[in-house]
Amino acid sequence: MALTYDHPGEQTALDPIRLLDIRDTPLSVDEVFGAVGDDAAGGTALFVGTVRNHDGGQDVDALGYSCHPSAGDELRRVAEKVVADFPVRAMAAVHRVGDLRVGDLAVVVAVSCPHRAEAFAACRKLIDDLKHEVPIWKHQHFSDGTEEWVGAC
């Protein structure tokens, strides 16, 4: 059976951006996954970024995220760009700010599309562009007492 893209379910939804937020409270995978449910979506891709215990060969004890006041607007711009490039049925992205510990969720993004390949590609573009273009900075605290700022853009 050949794929056709003339069914409305194969197209980008009218309002696919369901959840975008930058918050100082713990993130929920269930909330993000629940936000991207769509009957026309055959594929949903979800990415969860967690605080790891190492970076650049050093042990990480904790870190903090902070953001520029424009971060929410930039997150929306990034999301809208992904929606313009893929047949997104539903999208959600939340990023944490504040002090986090190893194992805490730092970012959760999900995208639903008519097919899995599109969902994977759109989700990857969303998280990659978020990390490169949204002004969110990470302040890492290493076990040896040193610290480092890492800029998202």
Side-chain angles (χ1 to χ4, degrees), residues 118-139:
E118 300 156 342
F120 278 126
C123 188
R124 179 165 193 145
K125 179 138 180 77
L126 177 60
I127 188 59
D128 287 351
D129 289 357
L130 185 161
K131 296 300 281 182
H132 290 104
E133 298 179 27
V134 178
I136 298 173
W137 304 282
K138 177 171 56 174
H139 186 201

Side-chain angles (χ1 to χ4, degrees), residues 8-123:
E10 297 287 340
Q11 310 302 318
T12 298
L14 291 178
D15 190 16
I17 300 173
R18 306 271 178 85
L19 171 65
L20 293 178
D21 203 9
I22 298 171
R23 56 178 70 150
D24 61 1
T25 57
L27 306 183
S28 166
V29 172
D30 290 338
E31 176 191 22
V32 173
F33 182 71
V36 297
D38 188 283
D39 288 344
T44 299
L46 177 86
F47 174 81
V48 179
T50 57
V51 177
R52 64 181 177 264
N53 67 359
H54 64 94
D55 189 41
Q58 293 183 276
D59 293 332
V60 173
D61 285 342
L63 58 81
Y65 282 101
S66 59
C67 67
H68 189 272
S70 68
D73 293 336
E74 290 301 308
L75 178 57
R76 175 152 299 274
R77 185 186 60 74
V78 163
E80 289 172 349
K81 187 168 60 170
V82 172
V83 166
D85 291 343
F86 296 92
V88 175
R89 299 300 306 170
M91 171 189 290
V94 291
H95 200 296
R96 179 98 183 262
V97 292
D99 295 328
L100 284 79
R101 290 177 279 149
V102 171
D104 285 347
L105 303 183
V107 62
V108 183
V109 302
V111 178
S112 294
C113 291
H115 305 281
R116 73 177 176 274
E118 300 156 342
F120 278 126
C123 188

